[in-house]
Amino acid sequence: MNLENEIKKLVLANAGQHGGKAHASAIISQVMGKISEARTNPKETIALIDKNVNEINKMSMKDQLIEIKKLGLSVTIKKVIRRIGLPELKNAKKGKVIMRFEPSPSGALHVGHAFVSILNSEYVKKYGGKFILRISDTNAENICEEAYKLIPKDVEWITGSKFELVIQSDRMESYYKYAKEVLEKGHAYVCTCESLKFRDLINKKTACPCRDKTPKENMADWNKMLTTYKPGDAVVRIKTDITHKNPAIRDWPAFRINDTPHPRTGKKYRVWPLMNFAVTIDDHDYGLTHIIRGKDHLTNSERQKYLYTHMGWKIPEFIHIGRINFTGLKLSTSTTRKLIDEGKYLGWDDVRLPFLQAFKKRGYKPEAFQKFVTMVGPSPADKSVSFESFMKTINSYNKALIDPIAPRYFFVPKPTKIKITGIKTSNIEAPKHPDNQKLGKRILVKTEELYISKDDAERIKKGEKVRLKYSGNIKFTTANKATQEGKELVKGIPIIQWVSTTANVPVKLILPDGKKLIGFSETALKDITDCVVQFERVGFARVVKEGNDIVAYLLHK
Ligand SMILES: [Zn+2]
């Protein structure tokens, strides 16, 4: 397939629908959604789309029509104008879609969580309905207490959505109510077999003796689970098909005994629902309509369908998606937590970490991640993406969002002093943004002695002419002395940023690898409390006040 030709077709079709002017954003979504090879290098694809949109939008509608005929598009036009943004969900009703994101409370959320949480919340935004954040904490053994506070904040930031918070350990009474119901109806039993013995039987498609117990006997054993049985003595099993071709489906466990005190409920409960039971009950009670989960949960979906059927409940739409595997990235919440405790990282927001707090700290817009997710969509294929190229895509989306609104300032890293003979102190008015007048002006103080960056100072040769941005030209007579050389623009000479040695503020620039770069910026930076700016020739950064210091976190170029 010729990618450019496919793009051209979509651009022409879109232009045809919009009075001859194609909308790049709509085409990006279509191309990414429709053409798998377009997703391998999103940046290149977007560049290709932009190029074609520019070319085709310049054409007259008549010429566009000629082009459409040339490509034989009359039929394709109707077909290709299919979707903008996420593909439709089966049986989704406007205003009635209920979806959820369900993390475990093992720590803050990382970039891997971003995808699933955004996918769910974007669908709720698309149709209207309710977004639920459900914290899955029925296993007391891997709980980090601060996660209960961190996760809602992370989800709120990355999805930009309101949600209903549900914590599973608050719902124990409901799980117990349904456990009794399913036992009383004879759809489940308390199994006291040794686990190895049970596995042996079930592998032979043979029921264990516990399966024939009466509801009354099961209720008595359930009460023993709550009181006298020891962990491992008994589990509740949901009856399925013991001849099911997949042994993992056969009579799956729904409750177990665990005496580990729970951080939120202490020792109040000792019989805990296992994932498949708790999830089914919650999904039903909260009216979930669509459930997006990884393909690795296909077996779980099959297990859960039995419980839905036993209870006489409607089965929601299950959508199984592929995994995104970030190559070159180690993602482990518990390992990271340990390293933070050991002081190897400053916290979840350490800029070196791929955790959402770190992205937030550096000034990323969550919309950049949302755009990525909308483009990739709920694809069933597993994907391997290098973390580096993923970040390049995110950075390009983020740049498109912040470039038009980020005020620009000078920042001189590793400052080196130069002296320009014969100039008087003066104030120079410069725009905060050349294309966005609304951002206003800034005042640059020009003095006889200035700082330029060490890199520039080392690069500039004796006798070379350089333009000080927004000011005049200078000529270096020695390594750190220069003379004035007029104000007119001279083609081809380097343009560099500069700061007065007397009117400036020190800035600590934190690089993405955690290293610090000390330098000076304009005095205007003193007025900033929290803002994403562009340091000219350095990159975009989030500037904040930390105590008396001005600290900037570098985003990207
Ligand atoms: Zn048994």
Side-chain angles (χ1 to χ4, degrees), residues 297 340 551:
H297 283 284
I340 291 170
V551 180

Side-chain angles (χ1 to χ4, degrees), residues 189-194 197-198 201 207-211 237:
Y189 57 96
V190 176
C191 174
T192 50
C193 298
E194 251 181 40
K197 194 186 138 204
F198 178 83
L201 287 170
C208 79
C210 323
R211 203 179 202 259
R237 293 188 180 279

Side-chain angles (χ1 to χ4, degrees), residues 460-466 474-479 481:
I460 295 160
K461 294 176 195 79
K462 207 172 111 179
E464 193 178 347
K465 264 194 209 173
V466 165
I474 55 169
K475 187 173 154 185
F476 280 82
T477 49
T478 67
K481 281 206 174 80

Side-chain angles (χ1 to χ4, degrees), residues 417-428 443-452 468 471-472 474 480 482 484 498-504 523:
K417 207 184 267 186
I418 61 162
K419 190 173 180 177
I420 306 159
T421 45
I423 67 160
K424 286 192 192 101
T425 300
S426 61
N427 287 345
I428 296 167
I443 302 293
L444 302 167
V445 183
K446 193 173 174 189
T447 47
E448 196 179 24
E449 285 193 330
L450 300 175
Y451 286 126
I452 64 168
L468 298 172
S471 175
I474 55 169
N480 49 14
Q484 280 184 293
W498 50 276
V499 179
S500 159
T501 55
T502 51
N504 61 52
T523 48

